[in-house]
């Protein structure tokens, strides 16, 4: 922030980013810890609401982490009473504190409470006092830890939260400027003694690393803010292009692989990450996971592969489609389609997989009227009864030229999914010859000249499985 712009002016400019600036009567929840940052934010927002109208609510969490916590709560109650501001307080009893990860647990407690306050008070906005130093600390810490490029934008000016938005209107104002403003306005605040504990990583950045960088260049914080704005703009533009690619590749069942396969390996990872996070709500993907999924797409030698993301989520490549599904999801199919051969009753529909049913019928059977696809068969009586079972690796059908083709090859040629492939039934005669792979291919039979007089005429049919319940009643 330039020296000739006051804290109040910069704050008002920052508020103009948000809809609340034009909202005639916003209800705003301000998260206040009694530190200098949040006390300044409370003061600035109270002035804004007083001039423009609306309602201000203060939300405070007493973490009971130190003896000073009770004094801070009492001080805040007195302050809000004097300013006639509604105050809501949540206690986090010490007995509920975990042995490890207290900082992360405390953060979850706070934001859960803020979300509840917003909902119960019909508040459109939550404000937190994150400032320029917080932004620099976050960016540097993410740079050290590693991760995705868009994470280097650090803290966002705003984001969706609860029933409304979370706003951070102090993001380009430094901690020092906030302290100077507090002193000039005689605003009282409390210092958190844990902020000086160098065993905490953020405190080392705050008290050691950032001051060292500022000694190298006094404008370091401003430069970090500038880089953050530039990188955010670049990310937004890149995401627009990525969203266009995803829109063109999106199908009802997943991503159409040929539409994205020509992208470079690095760009493919960006597309995958965007699709998985924004369209599939699968977050916290690491770089190695994205690389492996990209390699799965690029590998044309394996048309069907799976990748386990954990938590029961599986990414499946099925020829030209990339899908998201549950690992080891129970397959639903009719019990009569069994692994071992059983008699196929004429005039009855049998379900396999989730989409299709099949059956064998007499030529005059009314059931044929609802079939989506039929195949005529003439069979000698000695080949009856027909049997049905799931296919096995030795199964083959006879071709017109006298050769034979493995059923496995039929399934591959028709690009049958691995899940469906495991359940694929075959119809065999009493001599165990495969006659039909339902919905895919039938065997070639040489008929004698008098087959019409001597052979039995049957029709094999296929229909959509969702009709099964009505038809079999």
């Amino acid at each position: 922030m330039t020296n000739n712009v006051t804290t109040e002016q910069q704050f008002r400019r920052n508020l103009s980013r948000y809809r609340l600036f034009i909202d005639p009567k916003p209800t705003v929840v301000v998260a206040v810890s009694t530190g200098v940052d949040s006390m300044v934010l409370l003061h600035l927002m109270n002035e804004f609401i007083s001039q423009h109208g609306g309602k201000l609510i203060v939300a405070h969490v007493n973490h009971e982490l130190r003896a000073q916590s009770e004094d801070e709560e009492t001080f805040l109650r007195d302050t809000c009473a004097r300013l006639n501001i509604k105050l809501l307080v949540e206690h986090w009893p010490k007995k509920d504190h975990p042995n490890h990860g207290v900082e992360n647990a405390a953060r979850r407690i706070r934001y859960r409470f803020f979300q509840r306050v917003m909902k119960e008070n019909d508040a459109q906005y939550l404000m937190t006092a994150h400032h320029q130093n917080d932004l620099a600390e976050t960016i540097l810490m993410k740079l050290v830890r590693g991760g995705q490029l868009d994470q280097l934008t650090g803290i966002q000016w705003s984001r969706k939260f609860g029933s409304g938005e979370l706003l951070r209107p102090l993001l380009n104002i430094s901690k020092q400027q906030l302290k100077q403003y507090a002193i000039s306005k005689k605003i009282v605040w409390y210092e958190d003694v844990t902020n000086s504990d160098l065993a905490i990583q953020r405190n080392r950045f705050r008290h050691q690393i950032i001051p060292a960088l500022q000694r190298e260049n006094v404008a370091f914080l401003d430069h970090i803010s500038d880089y953050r704005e530039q990188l955010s703009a670049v990310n937004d533009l890149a995401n627009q292009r990525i969203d266009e690619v995803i829109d063109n590749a999106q199908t009802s069942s997943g991503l159409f692989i040929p539409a994205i396969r020509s992208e470079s390996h690095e760009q493919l990872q960006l597309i995958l990450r965007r699709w998985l996070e924004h369209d599939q709500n699968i977050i916290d993907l690491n770089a190695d996971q994205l690389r492996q999924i990209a390699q799965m797409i690029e590998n044309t030698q394996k048309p069907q592969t799976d990748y386990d993301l954990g938590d029961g989520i599986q990414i499946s490549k099925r020829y030209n489609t990339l899908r998201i599904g549950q690992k080891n999801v129970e397959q639903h199919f009719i019990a009569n389609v069994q692994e071992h051969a059983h008699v196929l009753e004429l005039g009855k529909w049998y379900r396999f997989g989730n989409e299709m049913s099949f059956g064998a019928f007499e030529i005059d059977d009314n059931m044929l009227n609802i079939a989506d696809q039929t195949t005529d068969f003439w069979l000698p009586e000695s080949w009856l009864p027909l049997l049905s079972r799931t296919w096995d690796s030795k199964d083959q059908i006879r071709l017109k030229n006298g050769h034979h083709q493995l059923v496995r090859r039929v399934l591959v040629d028709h690009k049958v999914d691995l899940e469906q492939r495991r359940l694929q039934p075959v119809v065999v005669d009493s001599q165990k010859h495969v006659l039909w792979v339902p919905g895919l291919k039938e065997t070639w039979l040489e008929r004698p000249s008098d087959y019409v007089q001597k052979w039995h005429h049957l029709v094999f049919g296929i229909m959509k499985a969702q009709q099964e319940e009505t038809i079999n009643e």
Side-chain angles (χ1 to χ4, degrees), residues 245-246 248-251 253-263 268 271-272 275 293-300 302-306 315-324:
V245 173
I246 291 174
N248 290 332
Q250 192 89 263
T251 69
S253 56
L255 277 186
F256 185 57
I257 291 175
I260 59 175
R261 186 178 276 143
S262 61
E263 305 289 345
L268 189 55
I271 293 169
L272 287 170
W275 178 63
I293 300 169
Q295 289 169 0
M296 182 170 74
I297 290 175
E298 294 165 334
N299 187 352
T300 58
K302 291 186 176 181
Q304 299 198 80
T305 53
D306 298 314
I315 295 184
S316 301
K317 174 186 173 184
R318 297 294 180 263
Y319 296 98
N320 286 330
T321 303
L322 193 70
R323 302 175 180 174
I324 303 295

Side-chain angles (χ1 to χ4, degrees), residues 7 35-37 40 131 173-187 189-191 195 206-207:
T7 300
V36 64
D37 322 323
V40 168
H131 48 76
I173 303 176
S174 72
K175 178 92 168 185
Q176 185 59 34
Q177 290 165 324
L178 293 174
K179 282 188 175 181
Q180 291 173 351
Y181 178 82
I183 293 170
S184 68
K185 297 294 183 179
K186 295 181 172 54
I187 297 173
W189 74 87
Y190 279 75
E191 290 288 351
N195 286 339
R206 179 173 299 164
H207 299 297

Side-chain angles (χ1 to χ4, degrees), residues 132 217-230:
Q132 197 174 43
N217 189 332
V218 294
F220 167 74
L221 291 178
D222 287 335
H223 291 167
I224 283 285
S225 294
D226 288 342
Y227 281 129
R228 182 236 173 270
E229 296 302 314
Q230 293 178 52

